[in-house]
Amino acid sequence: MNYFLTPEQELIQQIARRFARERVAPLSAALDEKSEFPRRLLEVLAKTDLCGVYIPEEYGGLGGGMFEFCLVVEEISRVDSGVAISFAGTGLGTIPILLYGNEEQKKKYLPDVAAGKKIGAFGLTEANAGSDSFAQETTAVKDGDYYVINGTKQWITNAGEADVYTVVAVTNRAKGARGISTFIVEKGTPGFSFGKKENKMGIRASTTGGLVFNNCRVPRENLLAKEGMGMIVVGRTFDQSRPGVAAQAVGIAQGALDQALKFARHRVQFGQPVIRMQAVQHMLADMAIQTEAARALVYSVARDIDSGGKGVAKAASIAKVFASDAAMKVSTDAVQIMGGAGYMKDYPVERMMRDAKITQIYEGTNQIQRNIIASELIKERDEW
Amino acid sequence: MNIVACIKQVPDTSEVKIDRETNTLIREGVPSIINPFDLNAIEEGLLLKERFGGSVTVISMGPPQVESALREALSLGVDRVVLLCDRAFAGSDTLATSCTLAAAIREIGFDLILCGKQAIDGDTAQVGPEIAEWLDVPHLTYISAVEEVSDRSITVSRLLEGGYERVRASLPALLTVVKELNEPRLPGYRASLRAKTEPVTTWGAAGLNLDPANIGMKGSPTKVTRSFVPELGRQGQFLAGSPEEQAAALIAALRSARIVHGSAKES
Amino acid sequence: MKLYSDRCAGCEACVNACPYNAVTMQGGLPVFSDACNLCGACVEACPSEAIERPGNGGPAVEASPHRGIWIFGETKDGQPTRVVLELLAVGRRLAEKTGQDLGVVLAGDRLGTMPQNLIAFGADRVFLVEHPDLAVFRDEPYTAVLAAAIKQYRPSILLFGATTTGRSLAPRLAARLRTGLTADCTALDIDPESGNLLQTRPAFGGNIMATIMCPVNRPQMATMRPGVQKPATRDGGRTGEVIRLETGPSLLLARTEVLGFINRNEEMVNLEEASVIVSGGRGLGCAENFSLVRELAALLGGVVGASRAAVEEGWLPYAHQVGQTGKTVSPRLYIACGISGAVQHLAGMQGSDIIVAINRNPDAPIFKVASYGMVGDVVQILKSLIEQL
């Protein structure tokens, strides 16, 4: 399908594709096996300028938006979405600064992120605040020119690897959802340490772990937006970043389809390549349908966001649900087409199937997404 | 530091196969690439520039289509590319090639020249040291690490048969580099945009003050008298039977060739 | 290239033969593009002798005759390197063929009885330069010392081992002498017509072989790939002459300084010297199966080699790699386990006396060079061999 990419977007896609195929592919089985953070690969990516693809040029980025960000995430995910999410995790941590940071904060953090010198992370989830993200227990108490943060975050992408963390904490419990704020916390701040690294089912190249705040004193100028705006920051951030997860899912689906096609062309059974069998052909066709439809949705939403479209929450959720369900189905079918070979670690599709599952879970489970979609539907007025 | 990296556009020899029916090379779909070791030379040039400033110029000699290799070099972030292209250069062996490149490098000006250890099509490894001789600068081959750089000297490790030799050379100098030295970067976005429009400087023999006797066919003492596809040939035999039987047959054969000693093991 | 269009049959053999994709057909006749490097592959391929290489130019002939076949006596740890002994065997044959002396030019410091030793291995004359500044090899003083000796004694042929030292020194010297140099030859012979040195070497990743001559300039210089020829044998009764060469400060100038040498312990595999090599490739399936290769090698008193694929898989370090981009070996016995036999691999082991190929695929190219072919499951066959040895 022709998505009418500009020459600049085509170039971004092409560079990301080369990065994925030439540098990521040879390492991905080992990164998965060892659950190893791809630091060296992110350094390679940094030299391509793509780390700053979604950051404005005045802060050293390429001036692209979420659409360009999605192109990069998709291409890397097509080979290894664990690596892609190590890159995208920085995006999730940086978007709040892009959206709500003041000039000093932007100048301080964005150029290093754009140059790939700093890795970012977003600290929201807690043991008792998962889908119910309002149930924050981490607190930030004002003390002169500082906020003192106490609490523990869990399942944070890039925990321990990142240099810059956007952290959500309660500043005034009495105000409920309006008493939550966001802070920029740098690695190395006294009182800030890391919990255990999780042993995950998929996206194993990506590091997931805990953030531990023990009387961590953060200077007042690290408050992002205003006190009490935390949940607005979180909501707007996810509206922006959700297509990123959807792009990850499209990449996984496409990668699994690539592998299944290649295998079906070469695998001979009953005297013919299995791709000649209609049972296989229909599965491949269904996989292509789901993948392409997901891509079309993701690209549309990403473009909508970049053009400043209001009320993208519903569309972003639709894209995220559809694409992640497609990734799960397509990668499972890819394993099925490849049969025993697909189930073995010699081929990447079993990893893609494990990787796909997380896309239905994180940045809001698909059930939460449906809640969002439904609540938007309820708000809509009857057209006729 | 002004750095010149020499590159060659080569067919990707790992993609070349022989048609055993006709004993000819199957060229279809064999892509042209920058010689892989030359990518390490470019990368080291860029790394040194990042540390010490200066410029990286990439130079290549060859037919007009080499421009695509030079544009790729631009997409990696080098400052300038120069193509040496002239019918007068045709038929150059390593001596004539090195003479031509040396003249151009002198024209560009340099503190350090970097070359890949050899090109994967010719595998001669000669052009680098020969350039150094034409320019009367020291050369060091098989560089696997650059340890120290000062205004006047460079300290490096050479990857030799049994280990690493640490050597210091005064600058200007020429280095030929091995894969171990670094990991070449991918094209960058900004540099790729620039590479599309940046002019490729092209020089012919005329501007380079070259003695016609030293270049092209005339300046090439060596002549290829014959090219042929090597015959694979050995009258071999397949051993028959189960793995156990094949193994027994082989051991018997090796025993009669006196490579395996002693009698058969009781089973 | 020059085309005799009247002889051309339009068969396109030249188009197929060209490794540089430089020949296209236009109006039924071949046209040579700028990509042509005059390699001559099309000349060989043409069945109607319609293509000719353009006339030989070449710098002017020097006046006085050049005589003698010289070998650069590379040393390591006070001994000539193995390739010097291989070159002495080759040089001896060339010397007999042309009725010339075989000389070794030897530079270093306190070389003791090495000159006599080289004579015992086949040299007629040893040209000796000893100086503390020459104790460790450096390109510049070695180039100067050799160039001075060559100007004085005017040898016709000068051969080096294609070692890191030979391949660093020879091109610098060739450029200084303005003469031709052929790298990494696998065969050296004399052209019966012209008496020139025929230098045959692989190119294009071993896919084609080229024979090269240096018809005018002297000396004719070549480096020879280690391991492709058998070394000379020692004959203590041989006699010869040792000629001491003068050296001076101008020859010893160097702009490089050697600071030290670090051995690589894991690289101590000595494939070149081994008489039995058992190599594994991708067909083994996984790193664990390499233990069978090790076991078989140990039982046969040999060492372990690997194909490029196995090294790329990370099953063995690069030091074990056999082939065009690894080591060239010629043991008495070479066993290739699960190696399909890419031409690059064959280039590195074809010289072995006995080649045993074990592969699942009976059409694998490795069987074309094998003395014994074993078709079947590599792991099963290896286990059987280990059990029965």
Side-chain angles (χ1 to χ4, degrees):
Chain A
M1 245 171 102
N2 188 345
Y3 292 101
F4 300 99
L5 302 191
T6 64
E8 289 77 16
Q9 288 164 346
E10 275 175 4
L11 181 59
I12 287 166
Q13 190 181 49
Q14 197 189 325
I15 291 172
R17 190 170 293 170
R18 256 188 93 172
F19 168 71
R21 290 190 183 170
E22 292 178 22
R23 304 300 164 94
V24 179
L27 302 178
S28 52
L31 292 173
D32 176 59
E33 184 73 31
K34 290 186 270 184
S35 191
E36 185 184 322
F37 185 74
R39 185 164 287 276
R40 179 78 195 102
L41 283 172
L42 293 181
E43 286 166 18
V44 172
L45 188 66
K47 296 223 163 163
T48 68
D49 308 325
L50 292 190
C51 284
V53 68
Y54 55 94
I55 293 173
E57 288 178 272
E58 55 190 303
Y59 304 111
L62 298 183
M66 279 303 112
F67 185 75
E68 285 78 7
F69 178 74
C70 285
L71 288 176
V72 176
V73 171
E74 179 190 342
E75 285 303 330
I76 305 174
S77 297
R78 196 168 164 180
V79 170
D80 187 331
S81 61
V83 174
I85 241 53
S86 304
F87 157 74
T90 297
L92 188 60
T94 307
I95 289 169
I97 303 176
L98 272 171
L99 291 175
Y100 291 99
N102 57 37
E103 198 53 28
E104 285 74 47
Q105 290 167 337
K106 288 182 178 176
K107 275 195 181 132
K108 185 169 178 193
Y109 295 107
L110 295 182
D112 280 350
V113 170
K117 288 181 193 154
K118 289 211 163 130
I119 293 171
F122 188 57
L124 172 67
T125 302
E126 296 181 3
N128 295 315
S131 290
D132 182 8
S133 56
F134 290 75
Q136 293 284 317
E137 288 172 359
T138 299
T139 56
V141 177
K142 198 162 182 188
D143 178 18
D145 284 344
Y146 288 85
Y147 285 91
V148 182
I149 304 181
N150 278 291
T152 303
K153 299 284 171 184
Q154 73 170 16
W155 300 341
I156 305 305
T157 300
N158 289 350
E161 305 291 350
D163 309 281
V164 185
Y165 298 77
T166 308
V167 175
V168 181
V170 177
T171 38
N172 187 341
R173 197 168 298 286
K175 288 189 174 171
R178 299 236 163 108
I180 295 172
S181 306
T182 40
F183 299 88
I184 303 168
V185 186
E186 293 181 38
K187 186 181 188 174
T189 307
F192 178 26
S193 60
F194 303 103
K196 75 162 178 142
K197 179 175 167 172
E198 301 292 346
N199 187 8
K200 300 193 295 296
M201 174 194 211
I203 54 165
R204 291 171 55 80
S206 147
T207 293
T208 308
L211 312 180
V212 180
F213 299 94
N214 188 1
N215 287 325
C216 174
R217 293 173 72 82
V218 174
R220 197 179 58 180
E221 57 265 29
N222 284 23
L223 173 68
L224 204 50
K226 293 194 178 115
E227 245 189 63
M229 277 183 70
M231 287 330 283
I232 298 170
V233 173
V234 170
R236 286 279 319 274
T237 296
F238 279 147
D239 286 348
Q240 297 263 315
S241 69
R242 219 155 258 146
V245 176
Q248 178 198 1
V250 171
I252 294 171
Q254 185 64 55
L257 177 57
D258 295 340
Q259 295 292 331
L261 261 175
K262 185 170 147 192
F263 185 89
R265 281 199 187 98
H266 290 99
R267 171 70 172 170
V268 175
Q269 287 290 274
F270 304 107
Q272 60 178 350
V274 298
I275 202 168
R276 301 264 286 273
M277 296 167 188
Q278 200 175 45
V280 173
Q281 289 171 0
H282 282 188
M283 282 176 83
L284 288 167
D286 282 338
M287 290 156 78
I289 292 166
Q290 294 166 78
T291 305
E292 203 62 68
R295 181 179 291 119
L297 260 176
V298 173
Y299 285 10
S300 301
V301 175
R303 282 175 165 147
D304 193 357
I305 290 170
D306 289 342
S307 62
K310 302 266 179 219
V312 292
K314 186 177 86 176
S317 291
I318 288 173
K320 195 267 183 183
V321 170
F322 189 86
S324 57
D325 286 350
M328 197 66 245
K329 178 81 170 88
V330 171
S331 59
T332 307
D333 285 350
V335 171
Q336 189 67 25
I337 286 174
M338 294 172 66
Y343 199 70
M344 301 299 152
K345 298 213 173 204
D346 297 339
Y347 291 90
V349 287
E350 64 80 29
R351 172 173 55 78
M352 291 170 169
M353 182 173 158
R354 287 186 280 113
D355 289 354
K357 189 64 209 172
I358 192 62
T359 63
Q360 296 179 307
I361 296 172
Y362 65 9
E363 286 199 38
T365 63
N366 283 7
Q367 287 66 37
I368 291 290
Q369 304 301 334
R370 288 178 168 96
N371 289 350
I372 295 170
I373 296 163
S375 73
E376 294 291 327
L377 286 173
I378 292 163
K379 278 189 238 164
E380 285 170 15
R381 281 188 297 170
D382 289 341
E383 291 278 330
W384 53 287
Chain B
M1 177 176 268
N2 291 316
I3 297 161
V4 178
C6 304
I7 71 167
K8 184 178 186 186
Q9 188 180 47
V10 296
D12 187 349
T13 55
S14 63
E15 302 280 319
V16 174
K17 304 247 156 36
I18 299 283
D19 181 344
R20 285 285 159 204
E21 299 291 304
T22 58
N23 249 13
T24 51
L25 291 169
I26 303 168
R27 304 162 294 106
E28 209 140 283
V30 178
S32 282
I33 56 172
I34 294 181
N35 179 45
F37 299 111
D38 301 349
L39 287 173
N40 297 99
I42 293 176
E43 177 66 25
E44 199 60 26
L46 292 169
L47 291 173
L48 288 170
K49 183 193 159 181
E50 283 166 15
R51 280 169 63 193
F52 303 106
S55 69
V56 179
T57 304
V58 166
I59 183 169
S60 188
M61 184 179 114
Q65 56 264 38
V66 172
E67 187 183 319
S68 67
L70 291 171
R71 292 218 178 270
E72 190 178 339
L74 282 170
S75 78
L76 298 172
V78 307
D79 298 285
R80 181 189 182 194
V81 294
V82 177
L83 172 61
L84 305 182
C85 184
D86 196 318
R87 281 231 159 236
F89 300 148
S92 292
D93 70 0
T94 61
L95 186 67
T97 302
S98 60
C99 175
T100 310
L101 285 167
I105 293 167
R106 193 180 286 124
E107 190 69 31
I108 293 164
F110 63 97
D111 301 302
L112 184 67
I113 304 166
L114 296 164
C115 303
K117 73 158 179 168
Q118 65 197 54
I120 59 167
D121 57 347
D123 284 323
T124 74
Q126 289 172 187
V127 169
E130 290 183 336
I131 290 172
E133 175 62 22
W134 286 103
L135 293 171
D136 189 24
V137 296
H139 80 267
L140 292 169
T141 47
Y142 306 103
I143 303 308
S144 60
V146 172
E147 293 174 12
E148 244 180 75
V149 183
S150 74
D151 288 349
R152 300 222 186 114
S153 73
I154 186 161
T155 307
V156 297
S157 278
R158 300 178 64 212
L159 175 59
L160 306 183
E161 282 86 356
Y164 298 93
E165 185 185 66
R166 293 185 62 236
V167 205
R168 182 183 303 136
S170 67
L171 291 174
L174 180 145
L175 309 179
T176 78
V177 307
V178 299
K179 271 209 174 91
E180 272 196 9
L181 178 62
N182 54 42
E183 185 190 356
R185 68 194 62 194
L186 290 167
Y189 175 83
R190 292 191 184 92
S192 297
L193 282 186
R194 214 191 101 215
K196 289 183 182 174
T197 52
E198 188 81 358
V200 170
T201 308
T202 304
W203 290 345
L208 286 174
N209 205 12
L210 281 160
D211 181 346
N214 284 338
I215 60 168
M217 196 78 178
K218 261 203 156 144
S220 298
T222 59
K223 310 292 167 197
V224 180
T225 59
R226 191 176 163 228
S227 291
F228 56 100
V229 174
E231 287 290 326
L232 296 179
R234 193 177 280 254
Q235 286 306 314
Q237 60 179 103
F238 280 107
L239 302 175
S242 67
E244 293 75 23
E245 289 161 349
Q246 291 190 35
L250 179 71
I251 290 167
L254 295 181
R255 198 165 274 133
S256 65
R258 301 194 172 278
I259 288 176
V260 172
H261 302 282
S263 57
K265 196 158 94 176
E266 306 293 322
S267 55
Chain C
M1 305 301 295
K2 187 166 178 191
L3 179 75
Y4 294 94
S5 48
D6 49 330
R7 293 186 210 159
C8 175
C11 71
E12 303 192 10
C14 48
V15 178
N16 293 323
C18 178
Y20 297 95
N21 215 350
V23 190
T24 49
M25 297 300 285
Q26 282 175 26
L29 291 173
V31 175
F32 303 92
S33 79
D34 288 344
C36 172
N37 90 336
L38 304 173
C39 79
C42 52
V43 178
E44 284 293 317
C46 180
S48 8
E49 295 181 8
I51 308 172
E52 216 176 76
R53 207 189 307 275
N56 285 346
V61 196
E62 286 183 44
S64 69
H66 289 73
R67 284 194 66 78
I69 291 163
W70 279 21
I71 290 163
F72 169 63
E74 185 181 343
T75 63
K76 181 157 179 146
D77 306 326
Q79 294 293 322
T81 55
R82 184 185 154 95
V83 70
V84 170
L85 304 185
E86 294 166 9
L87 283 166
L88 279 165
V90 175
R92 198 66 252 160
R93 281 201 297 277
L94 300 177
E96 307 296 336
K97 256 191 175 166
T98 56
Q100 299 181 56
D101 280 351
L102 178 61
V104 175
V105 57
L106 189 59
D109 188 34
R110 286 181 281 176
L111 293 166
T113 58
M114 204 185 300
Q116 281 69 35
N117 202 23
L118 290 167
I119 289 167
F121 274 103
D124 299 311
R125 302 203 282 177
V126 174
F127 300 87
L128 180 65
V129 204
E130 289 184 301
H131 192 281
D133 288 0
L134 298 172
V136 178
F137 169 77
R138 284 176 300 167
D139 291 283
E140 287 176 282
Y142 270 62
T143 301
V145 162
L146 261 70
I150 288 158
K151 278 183 184 140
Q152 189 177 351
Y153 291 95
R154 311 177 78 80
S156 168
I157 291 173
L158 175 56
L159 305 176
F160 298 76
T163 57
T164 54
T165 295
R167 297 188 78 173
S168 190
L169 169 64
R172 181 152 204 136
L173 182 60
R176 183 159 306 177
L177 300 169
R178 302 281 192 269
T179 189
L181 171 64
T182 305
D184 208 22
C185 297
T186 52
L188 295 168
D189 204 350
I190 299 295
D191 180 30
E193 281 171 38
S194 62
N196 287 329
L197 183 65
L198 291 173
Q199 307 155 86
T200 300
R201 67 182 303 269
F204 239 90
N207 285 295
I208 54 174
M209 303 293 290
T211 301
I212 291 160
M213 279 204 286
C214 180
V216 179
N217 302 50
R218 291 294 179 267
Q220 306 163 80
M221 288 176 61
T223 65
M224 192 185 78
R225 181 178 291 192
V228 294
Q229 303 279 343
K230 300 280 170 217
T233 49
R234 195 170 196 283
D235 172 3
R238 277 187 54 86
T239 54
E241 187 185 0
V242 178
I243 299 158
R244 279 196 175 269
L245 301 175
E246 291 301 312
T247 182
S250 66
L251 297 183
L252 297 172
L253 281 176
R255 288 166 287 186
T256 59
E257 180 189 355
V258 175
L259 306 172
F261 193 86
I262 304 150
N263 279 308
R264 274 175 304 173
N265 289 330
E266 86 278 18
E267 306 263 327
M268 292 316 271
V269 250
N270 204 338
L271 284 169
E272 287 103 325
E273 316 253 333
S275 65
V276 174
I277 297 174
V278 185
S279 278
R282 207 195 293 278
L284 284 168
C286 61
E288 287 65 44
N289 289 339
F290 240 100
S291 61
L292 296 171
V293 172
R294 283 198 192 89
E295 210 175 322
L296 180 61
L299 283 170
L300 293 169
V303 299
V304 176
S307 71
R308 179 165 131 179
V311 172
E312 280 177 356
E313 291 283 348
W315 297 344
L316 274 189
Y318 171 73
H320 293 265
Q321 187 175 319
V322 172
Q324 182 75 15
T325 48
K327 302 267 169 53
T328 301
V329 297
S330 51
R332 289 197 62 201
L333 172 63
Y334 188 92
I335 304 184
C337 311
I339 296 175
S340 64
V343 65
Q344 288 85 349
H345 186 76
L346 302 184
M349 44 65 79
Q350 279 184 89
S352 311
D353 289 346
I354 297 178
I355 296 173
V356 177
I358 311 175
N359 205 296
R360 180 190 290 278
N361 174 10
D363 297 322
I366 189 81
F367 288 119
K368 299 232 169 74
V369 301
S371 325
Y372 299 101
M374 305 171 84
V375 178
D377 182 70
V378 181
V379 171
Q380 280 310 313
I381 292 174
L382 279 172
K383 282 184 177 158
S384 296
L385 282 168
I386 290 164
E387 200 184 290
Q388 293 179 38
L389 268 168

